[in-house]
Amino acid sequence: MMDRRRFLTVGAIALAAGLGLSAPAAAQESVKIGLILPMTGPFASTGRQVEAGARLYMSKHGDTVAGRKIELLLKDDAGTPDQTKRTAQEMVVNDKVSFLAGFGLTPLAFATAPISTQAKVPTIVMAAATSSITEKSPFIARTSFTLPQASVIIGEWAAENGIKKVVTLVSDYAPGADAQKWFASAFTENGGEIVEEIQVPLRNPDFAPFLQRVKDASPDAVFVFVPSGAGAAFMKQFRDRGLGEAGIRLIGTGDVVDDDILNDMGEAALGTVTAHHYSVAHDSPENDAFVKAFKAANDGMRPNFMGVAGYDGMALIYQALEKTGGDTDGEKVMEAIKGLAWTSPRGPISIDPKTRDIVQNMYIREVKSVDGELYNVEQETFEAVKDPAKEG
Ligand code: PHB
């Protein structure tokens, strides 16, 4: 019975192929993208931003590419790796997705990488930013950023701008370790000194005791990495502990002053200098159009760097499918992704063909009040920065 059914199926496929039916049949099937994001829990702001960016791209560019309809399947992983992995598995096996995408935190991307490899499913990391993620599977590409990209730029800037002693304060997980390591090496190679290294818990951190340690060390500046969303609680404690009044400057990667929450941080945020790849205040026609459309579609919500990476993640998928003529074969799609280059709202970007990681401008920005709102105003541009952790 089994054999006979198998024979019939094989026969039917062979017949369809012989009659030239397989191509049009495939063309009618939609391409499914499994978007897995933290939509609940402490990192829900990341999920909300990435989803909004991805949906905006689709609403601007339509839901058909190379003759194939695109279908976005969104699932909430609440920011927990077990759930991300289980969801990815279900999406590959049951929903037959052609892409996995999203990944709001590094551990969630790490948990999924073996599935990407086994199933040969192109996996687009739109948020997580530990350098090594793209090395965990040849089927991973990234549209967010890497912590070394941002940390080296601000490390050099600090050493060149009169900052001599720094305390580093980072969330205690992989991207925090990347930020600490690459900031410290750039800063000390250029003459700076790290006086203390502090790790704070990732979940529900109470920053107060750690900021007291920073104050007691009285450095010229504190370098900070906390993931998107955590900056509000950090800034409140920075103000309440009087670090600014004590003459301690705040520098970091741009995550601590993310545009989604910056406006509510108040005066304590003014003067914060960070290195990052996206500011809502980026001055370009592409960004003006993006910000207007994003706000209009999301009740006035400002896009942050997560929103733009969701938007660009969809841009990457669309362009790859155009190149393959709608073919979703994992290996062909990954070949098509390598070397893609386009103008994002953040500036020119490309996918490094060797590493599948993003190459992009990094900007030094300072928080300023413009027309009564707080913005990360870009002051200096470093062009086409590759992930320094993968160079050489
Ligand atoms: C990460 O977990 O990789 C991550 C999350 C949020 C950020 C940056 C990195 O803002």
Side-chain angles (χ1 to χ4, degrees):
M1 183 64 194
M2 269 317 281
D3 276 344
R4 184 170 151 72
R5 197 183 296 154
R6 203 179 122 85
F7 171 79
L8 280 176
T9 313
V10 171
I13 291 169
L15 183 68
L19 295 174
L21 291 179
S22 71
Q28 281 156 19
E29 269 170 44
S30 60
V31 176
K32 291 181 185 158
I33 300 166
L35 184 61
I36 311 176
L37 290 167
M39 301 306 296
T40 54
F43 304 102
S45 64
T46 293
R48 192 175 65 222
Q49 282 277 341
V50 173
E51 182 196 1
R55 292 206 189 281
L56 177 61
Y57 189 88
M58 290 186 71
S59 80
K60 280 178 92 167
H61 295 87
D63 63 358
T64 306
V65 183
R68 300 197 62 182
K69 196 167 157 58
I70 307 293
E71 216 182 308
L72 203 56
L73 308 182
L74 174 67
K75 288 263 167 71
D76 175 19
D77 63 12
T80 53
D82 287 352
Q83 210 165 316
T84 317
K85 186 171 185 181
R86 201 168 47 243
T87 304
Q89 234 149 7
E90 285 166 9
M91 284 181 142
V92 167
V93 175
N94 301 339
D95 299 315
K96 311 257 184 306
V97 297
S98 300
F99 292 86
L100 290 166
F103 310 102
L105 296 162
T106 289
L108 316 179
F110 282 164
T112 306
I115 295 170
S116 312
T117 304
Q118 280 155 26
K120 299 186 194 272
V121 174
T123 298
I124 313 307
V125 173
M126 297 172 166
T130 299
S131 169
S132 64
I133 288 172
T134 45
E135 290 163 354
K136 303 292 182 197
S137 168
F139 290 88
I140 292 180
R142 168 155 48 199
T143 59
S144 50
F145 76 110
T146 80
L147 265 311
Q149 262 177 343
S151 304
V152 163
I153 299 290
I154 189 69
E156 289 170 357
W157 180 89
E160 286 161 10
N161 283 272
I163 294 171
K164 300 209 159 31
K165 291 182 188 227
V166 165
V167 173
T168 58
L169 185 153
V170 301
S171 294
D172 191 8
Y173 74 131
D178 262 4
Q180 204 286 321
K181 176 179 162 193
W182 289 88
F183 172 82
S185 66
F187 183 56
T188 56
E189 272 166 28
N190 288 279
E193 185 191 346
I194 304 288
V195 291
E196 197 171 342
E197 296 173 358
I198 298 174
Q199 280 89 32
V200 300
L202 172 61
R203 286 174 195 270
N204 305 314
D206 174 8
F207 292 107
F210 300 105
L211 285 171
Q212 189 57 47
R213 272 169 63 191
V214 174
K215 199 172 175 189
D216 293 345
S218 66
D220 300 316
V222 55
F223 164 84
V224 176
F225 163 75
V226 292
S228 181
F234 175 87
M235 200 61 83
K236 182 175 181 311
Q237 289 299 328
F238 186 86
R239 183 189 59 220
D240 291 354
R241 296 264 132 188
L243 269 79
E245 283 103 74
I248 300 170
R249 296 190 65 178
L250 178 56
I251 61 175
T253 61
D255 309 74
V256 68
V257 282
D258 94 54
D259 285 304
D260 195 357
I261 52 178
L262 175 62
N263 221 1
D264 298 325
M265 288 183 182
E267 284 197 358
L270 286 171
T272 303
V273 177
T274 58
H276 229 207
H277 52 292
Y278 180 67
S279 167
V280 75
H282 179 68
D283 186 12
S284 75
E286 291 83 7
N287 191 46
D288 287 351
F290 171 70
V291 173
K292 265 200 204 93
F294 192 98
K295 285 184 168 175
N298 296 283
D299 281 331
M301 176 167 76
R302 273 183 177 188
N304 68 6
F305 61 99
M306 297 297 187
V308 83
Y311 186 84
D312 287 331
M314 289 304 293
L316 177 150
I317 291 172
Y318 274 44
Q319 292 175 87
L321 286 172
E322 246 150 42
K323 261 172 92 175
T324 64
D327 191 335
T328 53
D329 173 80
E331 268 152 20
K332 288 184 192 154
V333 169
M334 291 314 297
E335 277 315 303
I337 284 173
K338 292 173 189 173
L340 281 176
W342 69 100
T343 304
S344 154
R346 67 184 105 172
I349 63 176
S350 66
I351 303 298
D352 187 328
K354 264 183 27 211
T355 63
R356 292 159 276 102
D357 223 327
I358 187 159
V359 181
Q360 59 190 334
N361 291 354
M362 298 301 299
Y363 307 90
I364 291 285
R365 316 96 46 82
E366 180 174 345
V367 176
K368 292 190 172 165
S369 178
V370 182
D371 299 331
E373 286 192 42
L374 296 185
Y375 288 100
N376 291 294
V377 177
E378 292 173 353
Q379 298 184 332
E380 218 178 319
T381 304
F382 297 81
E383 284 180 6
V385 178
K386 288 187 180 187
D387 178 19
K390 300 193 190 85
E391 293 221 80

